[in-house]
Amino acid sequence: MKFVFVLALICFASAKSVQPEPKYDHTLEESLKAFVDIIDLNKVLSILLEGLSSDEEVIQVIEFMQGPEFTNIVVTVQDMKEYQDTLLTLYNLGLDVYYYLNAIHEILGLPPIHHPDARNGSRTLIGFFEKLTAALPLDELRVIYEDKMKNDEVFIIAMETIGSKEFRRIGDVVMAMPEFTTIMNKLEEAGIDSKKLLEIIMDFFGW
């Protein structure tokens, strides 16, 4: 289900970004604001900061994400036409995904991604995700999600793009990469349930 993917987008939707030129009567960022308005962002941020500062398994995962294997996965994905097309679609719907992704990339030390025109597991880790989920008003968010899937053209296009077979191919390419296997093995060696983590990732993208 693509609902979980929406949760990731709304975590950033209240930040300041450069708004793309809208092609509809409202933007995707405005669509996501309905979700943001009912979330206690301070509580979610507090859980994130606590996990990043004191949860050893969360910290290990972040360290893996700063390693060469994960960086190579990111570079490979960024070069994929399917990924570039997906970002451009979301951008054209009125969400500056390049701004948000680059904010994350900067934190993790990953290479930036540019708009085309600019170029010329384990118990504590799973518990961390469970705490984040518990901090969200999921029932209310689902009601808004279902309503928008019926009545919000911009939102529907965005979710269809994320759920497309072209976007799914990005995941297939990543999981076939030796670097992905290396990361999963390292997580297991660190005592982190990589299968459960992969489940979370698959749910995240609605796969």
Side-chain angles (χ1 to χ4, degrees):
M1 185 181 182
K2 295 178 287 298
F3 173 70
V4 184
F5 191 89
V6 175
L7 298 183
L9 293 177
I10 61 181
C11 285
F12 298 97
S14 61
K16 185 178 180 182
S17 66
V18 177
Q19 286 296 317
E21 187 69 29
K23 295 184 177 180
Y24 298 88
D25 61 354
H26 67 284
T27 66
L28 178 56
E29 190 145 348
E30 289 168 338
S31 294
L32 294 172
K33 190 176 183 298
F35 297 91
V36 175
D37 287 345
I38 65 167
I39 293 176
D40 186 343
L41 292 177
N42 288 331
K43 185 175 181 181
V44 171
L45 181 60
S46 175
I47 293 169
L48 282 170
L49 291 176
E50 181 184 357
L52 292 171
S53 63
S54 61
D55 189 316
E56 299 232 349
E57 292 183 354
V58 174
I59 292 169
Q60 279 183 318
V61 169
I62 297 300
E63 287 175 352
F64 289 143
M65 292 174 73
Q66 294 174 318
E69 295 92 354
F70 188 79
T71 298
N72 195 41
I73 289 175
V74 170
V75 171
T76 299
V77 169
Q78 286 184 181
D79 287 339
M80 293 178 64
K81 184 178 184 300
E82 293 88 348
Y83 183 70
Q84 295 169 6
D85 288 348
T86 297
L87 295 188
L88 191 57
T89 296
L90 296 176
Y91 181 87
N92 287 337
L93 289 171
L95 180 71
D96 191 355
V97 286
Y98 303 98
Y99 172 86
Y100 298 122
L101 283 173
N102 282 326
I104 297 171
H105 283 209
E106 186 173 351
I107 292 169
L108 296 175
L110 296 170
I113 184 164
H114 304 287
H115 184 282
D117 291 345
R119 290 190 199 162
N120 274 33
S122 65
R123 285 191 305 275
T124 60
L125 182 63
I126 302 307
F128 170 75
F129 284 109
E130 287 173 347
K131 271 197 216 172
L132 276 178
T133 303
L136 301 172
L138 294 180
D139 289 341
E140 293 172 70
L141 289 170
R142 283 195 179 94
V143 169
I144 296 173
Y145 174 86
E146 289 166 5
D147 176 68
K148 288 192 173 294
M149 285 300 291
K150 293 176 183 174
N151 304 307
D152 188 328
E153 180 185 8
V154 169
F155 191 80
I156 291 169
I157 294 171
M159 294 302 102
E160 286 176 347
T161 300
I162 293 164
S164 67
K165 63 181 181 181
E166 289 81 11
F167 190 78
R168 171 61 199 252
R169 198 177 87 78
I170 297 169
D172 294 338
V173 168
V174 167
M175 285 187 279
M177 293 176 67
E179 291 87 352
F180 181 81
T181 302
T182 298
I183 288 175
M184 298 303 281
N185 289 339
K186 284 185 177 181
L187 291 173
E188 288 289 342
E189 289 168 10
I192 296 171
D193 187 346
S194 63
K195 289 183 181 176
K196 182 65 177 177
L197 188 58
L198 184 58
E199 248 177 61
I200 292 171
I201 294 170
M202 298 290 279
D203 286 343
F204 180 84
F205 289 109
W207 295 337

